Structure formats: C-alpha cells, structure tokens
Amino acid sequence: MGRSIVCLTFDFDAISGWIARGMNTPGPISRGEFGPHVAVPRILDLLKRHGICTSWYIPGHTLETFPEASQRVADAGHEIGHHGWTHRPPATLTPEEEEEELVRANEAIRKLTGRPARGYRSPSWDLSPHSVDLLLKHGFVYDSSMMGDDYMPYRVRKGDVITLEEPAVFGPETALLEMPISWTLDDFPHFEFIRTPTWILPGNMNANKVLENWVDDFLYLRQNLEWGVITYTFHPFVIGRGHRMIMLEKLIRTLKENGAVFKTLEEAAAEYLQRAAAPAC
Ligand SMILES: [Zn+2]
C-alpha cells in the first residue's frame, strides 16, 4: 500500500488581497473580515475535531491587522508560512521591494512563532525572476506557488531564458524545493464571485460537484503512485461559508476513509527530502 500525503493549506489573506487589487471600500473590506471574525474559528474547530495539522500562509498585513485570529491559528499548532506583507505578487515588485516584503513579514512571523517561516507561497502565485535567489538567501526550504507537477515535489530552477521566438533555455536546479499547487485544487476560482468593469469571475459553483473533482484527484494519487503529496488550497473567507464547510468536512472524512496521511507542507517537504537522500535499494 502506498503512502498518500494530504496537505490542507489556508491562505489567510483577510482584507489584504482586496486592498492589493485597489478594492478598499467597505464592501470588499467586510468580505475579507469574514475570514478572521467568522471563518477562522469555524475552520480551527473542524480541524481540531479531526486532529489535523495544516499549513497557513499569512500575509504580514493580516498578521498585524488581525493578531488575535493569527495567534489562534499558531496556538492550535498549525504551520505558519510566508505570504508576502502586502499581498502584491512578487512579479509586480522591484527586487528591493520584494526583499523588503520578505524581511518585514518574516519578522511578524518570528514574533508570532519564535522562528522565521520555512515555507513561502507567493501572493497570486506569480514569482519574479529574483524570487528564488531571495528565498534561498532568507533561509526558505520550500516554495509553494508553481504547477510543474501535481503529486511530486521538485527542485526549483533559476535563470531560465524564455523568449517568444527562440527555444526556451532552462536554468539549473537549486536547493529550493517546490511543493506544487494547482488552480483546480484552490477554492477561490470555483467559489468566489468578483465583478470589475472589465471582467467577471463567476464562482459560486456547486460545492458537491467541486468535491467530486477534489476526491478524484486524491484517488488518482492513491491508485497510481507509491508515494506522493496532494495540496489543497483554501481561503478562510471563501471556504468558511456554511455549505462549503459541510463540503470540507465531507472531503476530510472521505480522504481519511481512503487512507490519507495528513501533514503540514513543511513536514511533507522534509519527508520528500529524506526519501530523496535515502540510497536506492
Ligand atoms: Zn493570498
């Protein structure tokens, strides 16, 4: 029987994601506030009942605006990872701004947990050309922002040369580990409704239909790989609504019934590195 690891991860953006998009009027702010005020206690209660430790990527803006909710997450034993300070994607920042964000949010994480983050997840999942070097410089073990695999961690490259009219030239692998994610396993595009003057994200999918996809992605891992990791991404203000909380509990129960091993991403990364270092027999 193989070992199928499940990482439940939460991007605790609260109001920071809306502000980063320039949406700072009372409507979107209230939408973000639903996370720390209502959803986080519900989610923590569910995870406690099921005895599951998870990974939370918390922007510095959330850590310093909602310290009590952030403290509750840390006190419950969940991993606290880095998710920028302002929730602006690194690809939109200068290298200096990107490093400032890394340092400032890591300081807030150190205050909360006593140590800097080991894991990084970029806001909106878009790294800059400088991100890998900066993450290695600041002691990160893993990133969780890319989609080059589904169930298998891999080493992050740097120095790729990508142009429109020439074949891509891929750079060397680095020590940074990628714990891959996917938009298909993220609650936001399935459920969140956003309307702007130029585009609409319809969201509001039937939660039980999404559940079918999410269970099947786990079953494929279970049935086809000897060892692997599946990472689900949730946002408290998205998943914390009643029908979605019922779906999240169904997901947890079904995964348990099918032999899932629940870990934080930091633990799963450590297990991968240990396996990769073991001599082949
Ligand atoms: Zn986020």
Side-chain angles (χ1 to χ4, degrees):
M1 186 65 89
R3 183 168 164 85
S4 303
I5 295 175
V6 170
C7 296
L8 304 183
T9 70
F10 295 84
D11 292 1
F12 185 11
D13 298 339
I15 64 177
S16 66
W18 303 114
I19 300 171
R21 289 184 174 92
M23 300 167 78
N24 56 5
T25 50
I29 296 303
S30 70
R31 196 168 168 179
E33 276 179 307
F34 181 84
H37 294 161
V38 182
V40 166
R42 286 181 185 169
I43 293 165
L44 292 179
D45 177 62
L46 175 69
L47 296 173
K48 187 176 176 189
R49 279 193 282 112
H50 285 276
I52 296 173
C53 271
T54 61
S55 300
W56 291 62
Y57 299 89
I58 312 184
H61 187 277
T62 300
L63 288 165
E64 297 188 20
T65 306
F66 301 104
E68 283 174 24
S70 302
Q71 188 74 52
R72 286 182 69 166
V73 175
D75 288 350
H78 300 287
E79 177 190 2
I80 307 296
H82 200 298
H83 197 42
W85 201 95
T86 61
H87 206 280
R88 287 177 297 171
T92 67
L93 303 176
T94 66
E96 293 74 25
E97 288 171 335
E98 186 175 352
E99 186 163 24
E100 265 174 41
E101 294 244 349
L102 278 184
V103 170
R104 188 179 178 192
N106 237 350
E107 203 41 55
I109 291 170
R110 194 195 307 267
K111 266 191 211 155
L112 180 64
T113 66
R115 59 171 214 170
R118 304 296 199 273
Y120 177 76
R121 173 170 284 167
S122 61
S124 306
W125 291 345
D126 198 5
L127 297 172
S128 82
H130 314 285
S131 299
V132 177
D133 279 335
L134 288 172
L135 292 173
L136 288 168
K137 176 181 171 185
H138 289 278
F140 287 86
V141 174
Y142 73 87
D143 170 69
S144 180
S145 312
M146 294 197 281
M147 309 175 201
D149 207 312
D150 44 11
Y151 304 120
M152 202 54 63
Y154 62 94
R155 298 283 182 179
V156 179
R157 292 188 311 266
K158 69 170 187 176
D160 287 357
V161 180
I162 309 292
T163 59
L164 180 62
E165 294 182 343
E166 297 295 331
V169 178
F170 297 115
E173 290 182 346
T174 69
L176 190 67
L177 196 62
E178 180 61 33
M179 303 300 287
I181 42 74
S182 164
W183 289 114
T184 63
L185 296 174
D186 181 331
D187 59 0
F188 201 98
H190 298 301
F191 296 128
E192 210 54 18
F193 171 78
I194 302 180
R195 183 179 54 213
T196 77
T198 51
W199 54 272
I200 288 178
L201 178 65
N204 291 327
M205 291 283 286
N206 180 311
N208 286 307
K209 292 290 180 196
V210 176
L211 175 66
E212 279 182 31
N213 291 350
W214 288 357
V215 168
D216 282 351
D217 272 335
F218 173 79
L219 293 178
Y220 189 88
L221 161 64
R222 189 81 186 130
Q223 291 161 8
N224 291 281
L225 280 85
E226 194 53 34
W227 187 93
V229 183
I230 185 168
T231 300
Y232 297 90
T233 301
F234 309 104
H235 299 74
F237 68 76
V238 180
I239 202 70
R241 301 277 166 185
H243 64 288
R244 298 174 195 155
M245 288 300 294
I246 288 175
M247 181 272 260
L248 178 57
E249 184 153 22
K250 283 185 198 169
L251 176 69
I252 289 170
R253 287 187 191 284
T254 307
L255 297 181
K256 277 185 168 178
E257 287 163 12
N258 284 280
V261 178
F262 289 89
K263 297 277 184 192
T264 65
L265 267 189
E266 185 181 2
E267 290 168 338
E271 188 169 316
Y272 172 80
L273 291 171
Q274 201 174 24
R275 287 172 56 89
C281 55

